[in-house]
Amino acid sequence: MTLLITIAWILVLLSILVIFHEFGHFLAAKLVGVHVEEFGLGYPPRVRILFEKWKTKFSLNAIPLGGFVRLYGDDGETVEKGGSQQVLPAGVTKKNAFSEKSLFARLAIILAGVVVNFLFGVVAFAGIYSTIGIPTPRGEVVVTDVKADSPAAAAGLQSDDVITSFTNEAGEPVSLTTSDAFIAYVESHGEEEITFTIQRGEEQQTLQAIPQLVTVDGQEAIRIGIGLSDSELLFYPWWQMPLRGAVVGLQDSVNLAVFIVQALRDMVVQSFQEGTLPKELSGPVGIVDQTYQSGMLQQGWLARLNWMALISVNLAIMNLLPIPALDGGRAVFLLLEPILGKARRLRWETWANNYGMMLLLGLIVLITLKDIWQIVVR
């Protein structure tokens, strides 16, 4: 798959996710009685009105990426500044304005896009697991791959070996049931020799290996050069698969959300402490490069669906951040409205959104320049 085709796929898949996000706003607005003036596919300038349904104009726009929803009375603009001259569809009144709804209703509309993006991740993961099988703990750690010329190969490890235990600092064997526990054990010893026990068929062996310092995705890490698995994919009766897939999908989405939040926290701390942008922080160029290098989008529809699930949960978390111009920032200002009052809240939010968007765009530019530099010097 060429770079241009990868970019095209990313634009299409991202647009689908953004449209789902906007559909969340649209659906919540309709449920609480807010008039949706327009649901746009792509971004203006407008090319044409496709059709009109539920008193909403569905439009096609010139910039083919994502979409938008325009609500009647969003922040009182169309109500206070032009409502008297505006021609509204039959049955739509000032009561159908966003600004006239309760605080809870407006919060529901603002956060509905985030909820839909998160639910998309859950449903996508559920679909994937319903197709390939439900990950189920083995209760043992199996070696799935051994890299040539690695410490593991030098130690005599082979694929399908079961690592049953490792030796701790006191020289005592510690039983092993998860891959994470063995990875933590390897990393905690740096480049010092480690001792572990394997089961190979009916034979049990004790092996030693000296981990190496390697570079993974631009970051230094301690590895011995093996792939591990502590779970297996199982199939259940067909009527159980969607539910079991949804449960595992929800777990994966929650775990991914927690990981993203922790990573963001660590990146912010690093940025303030070291005054630099973390290497793992990527913008649009970095995402395209990583996707292209991994070849994920050329591995079939399941791989593409998995990519969309990962990005969708990322979008949900990023949009939930209390940053002006994002859904999380709007939600914070709405929560402050009982203290500030509606008029002051609107003035402060408008000011914060204008300057927040400038800062956000500036950060994206810096991250993009960093991504380009890393690609050039790679």
Side-chain angles (χ1 to χ4, degrees):
M1 182 178 288
T2 66
L3 179 59
L4 288 178
I5 295 177
T6 299
I7 293 174
W9 265 113
I10 288 175
L11 291 177
V12 170
L13 298 181
L14 274 178
S15 293
I16 293 172
L17 294 178
V18 173
I19 289 171
F20 270 109
H21 177 94
E22 296 301 325
F23 179 75
H25 294 312
F26 172 83
L27 183 60
K30 288 293 187 181
L31 288 175
V32 301
V34 171
H35 172 52
V36 181
E37 297 179 336
E38 183 177 356
F39 191 125
L41 302 179
Y43 293 110
R46 182 192 292 171
V47 175
R48 59 176 296 184
I49 298 294
L50 297 174
F51 59 90
E52 189 169 340
K53 187 74 173 177
W54 306 299
K55 302 177 183 178
T56 299
K57 293 182 175 67
F58 289 79
S59 64
L60 178 66
N61 296 270
I63 302 176
L65 177 63
F68 67 92
V69 168
R70 191 171 75 238
L71 305 177
Y72 170 54
D74 190 356
D75 291 329
E77 294 296 324
T78 55
V79 173
E80 305 301 333
K81 294 187 178 181
S84 58
Q85 289 81 32
Q86 184 174 356
V87 178
L88 296 173
V92 176
T93 67
K94 185 177 179 180
K95 292 181 179 179
N96 300 114
F98 174 84
S99 57
E100 298 299 309
K101 296 300 179 180
S102 69
L103 177 62
F104 176 80
R106 284 178 286 157
L107 276 174
I109 295 172
I110 293 299
L111 297 178
V114 168
V115 173
V116 168
N117 275 143
F118 184 81
L119 289 178
F120 179 91
V122 174
V123 173
F125 283 132
I128 292 169
Y129 291 135
S130 295
T131 303
I132 67 173
I134 308 299
T136 306
R138 293 175 182 265
E140 59 184 16
V141 179
V142 179
V143 177
T144 58
D145 177 60
V146 179
K147 292 184 178 180
D149 302 321
S150 66
L157 264 177
Q158 299 177 11
S159 294
D160 296 326
D161 285 347
V162 177
I163 305 178
T164 58
S165 65
F166 59 82
T167 303
N168 63 15
E169 286 74 7
E172 302 168 337
V174 178
S175 297
L176 192 65
T177 58
T178 67
S179 301
D180 288 343
F182 186 74
I183 293 171
Y185 166 69
V186 172
E187 292 178 341
S188 67
H189 284 72
E191 297 178 89
E192 301 175 1
E193 185 178 74
I194 59 173
T195 300
F196 51 93
T197 301
I198 66 165
Q199 186 74 35
R200 182 178 298 162
E202 300 297 324
E203 181 185 2
Q204 192 174 74
Q205 298 183 27
T206 298
L207 305 177
Q208 289 81 33
I210 301 177
Q212 290 179 335
L213 184 65
V214 297
T215 300
V216 180
D217 296 330
Q219 299 292 310
E220 291 186 341
I222 296 294
R223 297 287 188 269
I224 64 171
I226 57 174
L228 298 173
S229 173
D230 54 16
S231 64
E232 55 186 333
L233 298 175
L234 298 181
F235 285 89
Y236 297 86
W238 66 268
W239 53 271
Q240 294 184 16
M241 292 298 287
L243 180 60
R244 288 180 179 271
V247 171
V248 179
L250 178 60
Q251 293 172 341
D252 277 4
S253 297
V254 170
N255 291 338
L256 178 58
V258 171
F259 173 79
I260 293 169
V261 171
Q262 292 175 340
L264 287 171
R265 178 201 62 195
D266 295 342
M267 287 189 291
V268 170
V269 171
Q270 181 180 333
S271 297
F272 278 103
Q273 289 179 343
E274 302 179 9
T276 59
L277 292 173
K279 292 182 178 180
E280 63 270 21
L281 182 62
S282 296
V285 172
I287 292 173
V288 170
D289 180 59
Q290 292 171 18
T291 304
Y292 176 67
Q293 296 295 331
S294 68
M296 179 182 292
L297 297 185
Q298 62 184 346
Q299 297 173 16
W301 71 271
L302 281 176
R304 291 168 191 155
L305 186 60
N306 185 63
W307 185 91
M308 290 179 72
L310 295 172
I311 296 297
S312 192
V313 176
N314 268 275
L315 287 175
I317 298 303
M318 295 302 295
N319 260 297
L320 198 56
L321 294 176
I323 297 174
L326 299 180
D327 291 340
R330 293 202 66 184
V332 169
F333 275 105
L334 283 177
L335 290 172
L336 292 174
E337 185 176 281
I339 302 172
L340 300 175
K342 185 175 288 188
R344 185 180 299 172
R345 188 274 302 170
L346 178 56
R347 288 198 305 272
W348 287 20
E349 183 178 353
T350 301
W351 179 88
N353 284 345
N354 291 337
Y355 287 95
M357 181 60 72
M358 292 171 59
L359 289 174
L360 199 58
L361 291 174
L363 179 61
I364 291 174
V365 170
L366 288 176
I367 294 173
T368 299
L369 292 174
K370 176 192 72 68
D371 289 339
I372 294 173
W373 175 250
Q374 288 183 341
I375 293 172
V376 170
V377 300
R378 186 166 55 206

